[in-house]
Amino acid sequence: MIQFELEHAHGHGIVLPELKIGLDTRFSQHLIQVISHAHADHVPHKTKRPILASPATIDLMIARGFKGDYEKLDFYTPFETDVARITLFPAGHILGSAQIFIESEKGNLLYTGDFKYPASPVSEGCFFPEKPIDIFIAEATFGLPIYKWKPQEFLDKSIVDFAKKHLNNGYTPIFLAYNLGKGQEVMHALAKAEIPMTIHDAGFELCKVYEQYGFHLGNYKKLGDSSHQGRALIIPSNALDSGSVQKISKQKVAYVSGWAALEARRQQMIIDARIPLSDHIDFYELLRVVEQLKPKKTYITHSPNPDMVCYFLQKNGFDAQPLGEHERGEDS
Amino acid sequence: MSESDYIVSFKHFAETAQLIADTRSNSEKAEICAYYLKSLPDSANQKLAVRFFGEGAFAAIEKKRLSIGHKTIAEAACAFLELDYDYVFRACKTATGSSSEAIEKLMEAWPIGIQKRSPELHSLSEIAAFFVHLADIKSKEEKLRELHRLWSTLTPVEIKYAIRVMHQYSLRIGFEEKSILRAIASAFSQPLEDIRYAHMLTGSLEKTLERSGKDTLQEVQFSFFKPLAFMLASPLHTVQITDFSGFICEEKFDGMRCQAHIADGKVELFSRDLNPITESFPELQSFFLNRGLDQLILDGEIIVFKDDEILPFQLLQKRMGVKKPTKALLDEFPVAFIAYDILAEGKELLIKKTLSERKLYLETVSVTHKLPISLSYSVQTLDDVKSRFDIAREHGNEGLMLKRTDSSYEFGQRGNQWIKVKEPAGSLDTVLLYAHAGSGKRGGYYSDFTLGIRANHHKKNEEPYFVPIGKAYGGYTDDELRWLNKEIRGIILDRFGPTLGLKPQIVIELEFEEVQLNKRTKAGYTLRLPRFKAIRHDLSIYDVDNLDDVKKLYEAQLHRKRLKNFVEPFLIFPTA
Ligand SMILES: [Zn+2]
């Protein structure tokens, strides 16, 4: 089996010491650094060698100010080192998000990064290698049996209904959604209903990358550019306090996140609606994926309750154990 | 299912409750509830609905209880779902922060929860009858069987609200009694004031609703020995007033708020939360009766009063909650009642009269029956308030109460008619231990913080450890709150639903009203009304104050010098 260890103290990446590969590692330590996707908690601070990632991930990172060296690696196209083969498979989390598949003489390892199955509609889909998996390292941000996502069509409809209802009543509908990934999912839903949008400036350049890769995001403009009259507003939650948003007198706020499934979020953030649209896999789909892949060994990471997923996997007869600290990504 | 079956169903109730929960504006919440109440065909259904919204499985005035604890319900749910309580349920509950919400979600998602249920409609009266039936069952096993039977016919959202109703506490939908009264007022087109007034006297949502429907609100009479909701004061820093010419001021005693009902040779005392406390203070009973007081409702303060002096609140605490106190305790900590308002005399309720008028009534009673009352002074400017405040502090009193002379007694309200002026008792350097996502703040900020005090001594080579000393949710600026929210992201140790456990690192100087003894906490003390004074970037966790410092502050409070009442008197205490 391939040996691996957690990148302790620095980040929450994974190091394959024998193969000299780092998966979402913060520091290179003379490794080949492979980056699963462009969310900040997966992107390195400093790089000594070019990082390896999908073309869309690289373009998103550059749009967010990444200045290091890189090499773009297409999905399904193996990258050979002297001891290993690295292949990226779409992870369905955000545009460019990849699962990283490593093969070597000692066996193989599939690292999901953040993933979603069924995939986000504004991603390249979610596909797994067809070979039998030895080691499966999966994230379980929502690894509790209380998390079961509603169908995409239902959630898209909630988004559109919220926007239409409040636009009709003369309010500005505001969607609190993360700039990269969730924001574009909301836009994708609103674009289909031909609702014009205003988006947070920091998300604007990222939307251009989505469009380059063929995703239609509809009629939108930057928050900075004048009036929002008759438009839906899409901003990250920390922008709700900004002057340009506060001066909108008639507003209705929807919180779009997997965490919106929890009632407590209503009390914590003054909002008018919770729309539990996540870009992570839910508990039940995760169990199903393991059932489908039948890996020899499964490790659960990025979960507040890794033991729980393992408990159910073990009950289903799988070899599973938690991996590392209880960290959680910036997105959800 | 027919439309009319749905209208009177528990499902309709539960879905309305969820809609109210998912609505932000209070007036919209009340409108949704009013619309729902109006849709119900008769008063019997409406009464059950307001009972379930505001009082629980049984009307508040009935003393019936289901006597099924939270844990029992959760275990019953685990048995139904065939899930392990310790291993699975506990984590789900921690994540949601609510046992009933965790049950709802599991009923909806967990395959066995789906399989075992085939929902059918139950009317509100069927559910009410079920609660009575459940309360009458003695054996725990049978209770659980009955619960399972009910759940197998309900939807997840009905199960959640059935559990919350059973627990006889708030439905957690941000819709408390005040809002229910607003909904009743709207549903029956009655003035809210009349509804609130009638409700205070009936003490029952069902009765209030019935009266509203029959247009007989005016007939509700007050009676002695039914407490009236207290009128409350706002802190000075929350109101924007500079001209105090419409106000009088009184010194604010370091005591316990109390409402005294005296009628027909009987005395009953009620605490702030409207519970009877008469048994703890037998000397007050005889005091009132000996002085010939009758047919009165008085609002005032209980204090420890010895040798013409008010003793600190900490000593009064030794009497609080002690039923049938011993003679030794009575002699060591004798109490007195100082009246500052009068709410009823004879058959007449005086709460709609102005404060000036009520004060006249009170003074007359004081003269005739030698009743101790507090003295009031007129003030004009903020400077007058300040100098009065200094005098009050010299007297050893807490501060001042400012009251508008033309105000009526606004029962149950905290408005700007009464204003309290107090001074912080001190400050301590503490460390941030937990952040709680607060209500009211926008954009998902953590706005409530639990602060810790060092529990071991400042010796070298010993790592400090901390115990909670208070929870603060104010005093910081918007910028400071933003800074805190950014900073705590990097020091998260644990997550418990909406709460973050933090690595001790950020030092906060806390200001507070008072140090109180509290045996139930690890620290042994709690701070009253703690708030941020400053974020101490200059201090490290090694500089955090320890429990000895807290103790010293407590002792200092206890032994503060007090001027006697003779200089600039603040109360009249006639001797019999
Ligand atoms: Zn991510």
Side-chain angles (χ1 to χ4, degrees):
Chain A
M1 295 275 231
I2 293 179
Q3 275 189 9
F4 68 89
E5 61 198 35
L6 275 175
E7 182 196 24
H8 269 302
H10 300 303
H12 49 216
I14 287 163
V15 177
L16 315 182
E18 300 164 326
L19 304 181
K20 299 211 171 3
I21 295 173
L23 307 174
D24 285 342
T25 46
R26 280 272 141 113
F27 294 90
S28 77
Q29 297 156 332
H30 308 289
L31 304 168
I32 297 173
Q33 273 177 288
V34 195
I35 301 303
S36 66
H37 67 291
H39 276 145
D41 55 330
H42 295 260
V43 169
H45 291 321
K46 284 185 193 147
T47 52
K48 289 188 181 142
R49 296 171 55 163
I51 62 150
L52 205 57
S54 73
T57 296
I58 299 287
D59 290 338
L60 288 168
M61 284 169 61
I62 290 171
R64 289 184 129 190
F66 177 73
K67 296 222 161 51
D69 285 341
Y70 56 82
E71 187 161 341
K72 289 181 175 175
L73 178 62
D74 284 319
F75 287 120
Y76 312 114
T77 310
F79 176 95
E80 308 278 354
T81 77
D82 42 1
V83 286
R85 170 186 292 161
I86 303 168
T87 316
L88 301 182
F89 287 82
H93 171 58
I94 61 169
L95 176 69
S97 66
Q99 306 183 63
I100 306 167
F101 187 49
I102 310 286
E103 294 165 279
S104 81
E105 272 182 355
K106 293 206 166 172
N108 68 35
L109 177 153
L110 180 66
Y111 164 76
T112 64
D114 287 348
F115 75 135
K116 186 179 180 188
Y117 186 81
S120 156
V122 282
S123 73
E124 298 84 345
C126 180
F127 297 96
F128 301 96
E130 294 195 347
K131 295 177 184 164
I133 309 290
D134 295 332
I135 296 174
F136 182 53
I137 303 177
E139 65 111 352
T141 305
F142 292 98
L144 286 175
I146 51 174
Y147 297 115
K148 184 182 179 187
W149 306 139
K150 301 231 159 61
Q152 187 74 39
E153 308 77 64
F154 176 90
L155 294 165
D156 282 356
K157 186 171 181 303
S158 316
I159 290 171
V160 171
D161 289 351
F162 182 85
K164 280 191 175 159
K165 176 178 161 199
H166 295 303
L167 282 172
N168 284 341
N169 293 335
Y171 284 85
T172 298
I174 300 179
F175 293 92
L176 301 182
Y178 192 66
N179 268 335
L180 172 53
K182 194 62 55 61
Q184 289 78 14
E185 287 192 35
V186 173
M187 293 172 77
H188 183 72
L190 293 174
K192 279 191 287 184
E194 296 183 345
I195 294 168
M197 295 162 262
T198 304
I199 63 161
H200 192 246
D201 295 6
F204 191 79
E205 295 307 319
L206 304 173
C207 294
K208 294 291 162 204
V209 179
Y210 271 76
E211 286 181 329
Q212 261 173 45
Y213 282 83
F215 291 97
H216 174 61
L217 299 178
N219 164 1
Y220 65 96
K221 59 172 197 164
K222 269 194 211 179
L223 183 58
D225 308 343
S226 71
S227 153
H228 326 299
Q229 199 62 39
R231 293 176 165 266
L233 191 58
I234 301 161
I235 54 170
S237 52
N238 57 19
L240 201 52
D241 279 330
S242 69
S244 44
V245 177
Q246 290 219 313
K247 72 176 184 228
I248 303 172
S249 56
K250 290 183 81 182
Q251 48 170 269
K252 293 281 179 183
V253 181
Y255 174 49
V256 189
S257 164
W259 302 113
L262 304 177
E263 280 187 345
R265 295 293 153 139
R266 166 172 300 287
Q267 292 134 29
Q268 292 155 19
M269 353 182 10
I270 295 177
I271 46 178
D272 298 289
R274 296 180 282 134
I275 301 179
L277 169 61
S278 174
D279 45 22
H280 291 265
I281 194 164
D282 75 20
F283 172 84
Y284 296 91
E285 292 294 350
L286 178 56
L287 296 192
R288 224 188 316 271
V289 164
V290 174
E291 196 73 50
Q292 182 189 323
L293 297 179
K294 298 192 170 45
K296 287 199 182 112
K297 177 106 192 178
T298 300
Y299 292 91
I300 298 299
T301 176
H302 291 117
S303 171
N305 307 89
D307 298 351
M308 180 78 58
V309 178
C310 294
Y311 166 85
F312 284 101
L313 287 175
Q314 285 156 10
K315 277 182 105 170
N316 292 352
F318 293 99
D319 186 351
Q321 79 181 66
L323 177 71
E325 293 147 327
H326 305 177
E327 294 236 20
R328 203 188 270 171
E330 60 169 342
D331 56 301
S332 43
Chain B
M1 92 185 156
S2 84
E3 177 69 18
S4 57
D5 287 345
Y6 175 73
I7 293 287
V8 298
S9 72
F10 188 72
K11 187 169 185 220
H12 187 200
F13 168 83
E15 287 173 351
T16 305
Q18 191 60 46
L19 188 61
I20 291 172
D22 287 335
T23 300
R24 167 163 133 192
S25 126
N26 283 331
S27 58
E28 277 177 46
K29 281 171 188 272
E31 278 319 302
I32 292 167
C33 181
Y35 183 82
Y36 166 71
L37 290 176
K38 277 191 282 187
S39 78
L40 296 173
D42 51 37
S43 151
N45 275 293
Q46 289 168 336
K47 279 161 70 180
L48 286 175
V50 293
R51 175 200 293 183
F52 291 164
F53 271 123
E55 297 184 343
F58 305 109
I61 43 173
E62 284 180 62
K63 295 280 183 248
K64 221 173 169 79
R65 286 286 178 275
L66 276 170
S67 52
I68 301 183
H70 291 67
K71 180 88 188 283
T72 310
I73 300 247
E75 282 170 347
C78 287
F80 185 88
L81 295 158
E82 300 171 33
L83 282 172
D84 186 75
Y85 179 88
D86 286 313
Y87 216 83
V88 181
F89 187 78
R90 209 188 284 278
C92 295
K93 184 183 150 191
T94 305
T96 56
S98 153
S99 180
S100 49
E101 188 189 345
I103 294 169
E104 176 197 25
K105 291 206 173 325
L106 290 167
M107 290 287 180
E108 195 170 342
W110 184 245
I112 294 169
I114 300 168
Q115 269 163 35
K116 282 193 180 168
R117 289 181 303 105
S118 36
E120 50 192 74
L121 287 182
H122 295 283
S123 68
L124 290 172
S125 49
E126 278 166 26
I127 294 293
F130 174 84
F131 291 142
V132 173
H133 165 66
L134 201 61
D136 290 341
I137 297 174
K138 294 278 177 299
S139 121
K140 186 174 165 185
E141 285 69 34
E142 207 186 328
K143 276 191 183 191
L144 298 191
R145 259 201 308 280
E146 287 299 280
L147 267 183
H148 285 185
R149 192 175 61 82
L150 177 72
W151 289 345
S152 68
T153 62
L154 297 181
T155 59
V157 70
E158 287 177 272
I159 293 175
K160 174 173 72 182
Y161 286 111
I163 292 172
R164 290 183 181 174
V165 167
M166 281 171 61
H167 279 145
Q168 213 84 14
Y169 62 53
S170 137
L171 293 185
R172 295 186 175 211
I173 56 174
F175 195 64
E176 308 303 320
E177 188 175 88
K178 250 197 210 160
S179 312
I180 300 172
L181 293 176
R182 203 164 153 180
I184 294 176
S186 163
F188 295 99
S189 311
Q190 298 278 8
L192 179 57
E193 261 313 291
D194 293 358
I195 298 279
R196 290 187 48 244
Y197 182 69
H199 183 64
M200 181 178 71
L201 300 175
T202 65
S204 149
L205 285 169
E206 293 182 47
K207 283 190 182 166
T208 305
L209 179 131
E210 197 166 31
R211 296 273 176 176
S212 316
K214 290 187 187 148
D215 244 334
T216 53
L217 285 173
Q218 316 305 331
E219 292 164 24
V220 187
Q221 290 287 320
F222 94 91
S223 64
F224 287 102
F225 309 115
K226 261 190 199 168
L228 307 167
F230 285 86
M231 179 167 178
L232 305 172
S234 302
L236 181 63
H237 62 87
T238 64
V239 298
Q240 263 127 33
I241 296 176
T242 44
D243 177 13
F244 293 92
S245 50
F247 288 84
I248 50 153
C249 84
E250 298 168 302
E251 300 198 3
K252 188 175 186 326
F253 306 119
D254 213 1
M256 176 189 188
R257 187 85 182 268
C258 173
Q259 192 177 102
H261 291 231
I262 310 150
D264 310 323
K266 223 182 107 187
V267 174
E268 191 83 90
L269 307 173
F270 297 97
S271 60
R272 247 296 300 280
D273 47 7
L274 308 184
N275 286 315
I277 48 168
T278 323
E279 278 186 275
S280 298
F281 303 104
E283 68 261 61
L284 292 181
Q285 268 176 289
S286 39
F287 181 86
F288 288 134
L289 297 177
N290 289 344
R291 298 207 168 182
L293 294 155
D294 199 15
Q295 308 294 120
L296 291 172
I297 301 178
L298 302 170
D299 185 3
E301 199 96 356
I302 297 179
I303 49 172
V304 177
F305 195 73
K306 204 173 183 179
D307 303 327
D308 233 1
E309 193 181 351
I310 298 180
L311 298 181
F313 181 73
Q314 285 78 6
L315 300 180
L316 180 61
Q317 277 185 314
K318 303 200 189 277
R319 290 286 306 273
M320 287 158 66
V322 180
K323 286 185 181 166
K324 304 204 175 77
T326 60
K327 173 141 194 328
L329 199 63
L330 287 171
D331 288 343
E332 199 181 349
F333 307 110
V335 300
F337 178 95
I338 315 295
Y340 39 69
D341 216 324
I342 180 166
L343 312 186
E345 187 182 26
K347 292 215 165 2
E348 198 187 354
L349 200 54
L350 303 174
I351 60 177
K352 293 206 169 159
K353 300 211 176 292
T354 65
L355 178 67
S356 311
E357 290 170 313
R358 300 200 306 277
K359 284 283 185 193
L360 281 178
Y361 277 91
L362 189 63
E363 277 157 29
T364 312
V365 172
S366 173
V367 171
T368 331
H369 296 283
K370 302 195 177 353
L371 173 73
I373 57 171
S374 69
L375 284 175
S376 42
Y377 292 87
S378 67
V379 280
Q380 306 284 337
T381 62
L382 193 60
D383 279 341
D384 294 346
V385 172
K386 280 182 183 151
S387 68
R388 276 285 147 207
F389 180 81
D390 292 338
I391 296 169
R393 296 295 291 173
E394 279 176 34
H395 284 141
N397 287 326
E398 261 191 317
L400 292 182
M401 292 295 297
L402 300 166
K403 297 176 177 176
R404 278 202 94 89
T405 50
D406 60 357
S407 61
S408 60
Y409 191 88
E410 295 180 345
F411 55 89
Q413 302 280 329
R414 189 187 298 282
N416 292 349
Q417 311 293 331
W418 285 15
I419 297 165
K420 56 185 169 190
V421 192
K422 287 167 82 175
E423 186 183 33
S427 73
L428 284 167
D429 294 325
T430 61
V431 68
L432 219 51
L433 293 182
Y434 299 96
H436 314 272
S439 48
K441 274 280 160 187
R442 305 191 51 161
Y445 276 135
Y446 288 91
S447 58
D448 299 1
F449 303 93
T450 298
L451 287 309
I453 196 92
R454 189 167 174 168
N456 54 352
H457 285 279
H458 290 107
K459 276 187 223 143
K460 276 182 187 165
N461 306 326
E462 198 184 336
E463 276 303 304
Y465 73 92
F466 304 96
V467 294
I469 187 76
K471 191 170 169 186
Y473 40 85
Y476 40 67
T477 64
D478 287 353
D479 282 344
E480 284 174 328
L481 185 64
R482 256 190 286 275
W483 182 87
L484 283 164
N485 273 267
K486 197 166 123 283
E487 212 58 23
I488 57 178
R489 282 171 147 236
I491 53 170
I492 298 169
L493 294 179
D494 283 302
R495 288 172 192 265
F496 321 90
T499 295
L500 302 179
L502 304 175
K503 182 170 163 237
Q505 184 171 311
I506 301 174
V507 179
I508 305 291
E509 187 176 351
L510 266 197
E511 209 172 60
F512 45 89
E513 300 285 332
E514 191 178 45
V515 182
Q516 292 179 327
L517 268 186
N518 189 340
K519 294 239 167 62
R520 282 165 308 173
T521 62
K522 270 190 218 159
Y525 298 94
T526 43
L527 304 180
R528 221 161 76 81
L529 301 179
R531 55 198 177 262
F532 280 49
K533 190 175 178 200
I535 300 176
R536 298 297 300 261
H537 302 284
D538 54 325
L539 298 182
S540 83
I541 56 166
Y542 296 93
D543 303 311
V544 167
D545 287 323
N546 75 22
L547 277 174
D548 286 347
D549 301 308
V550 180
K551 190 165 174 241
K552 272 182 219 146
L553 280 172
Y554 176 78
E555 306 270 322
Q557 249 168 240
L558 211 53
H559 300 118
R560 195 145 48 83
K561 272 223 170 1
R562 286 155 190 273
L563 275 181
K564 301 245 167 161
N565 186 25
F566 311 128
V567 195
E568 292 269 352
F570 56 92
L571 68 83
I572 301 176
F573 205 112
T575 42

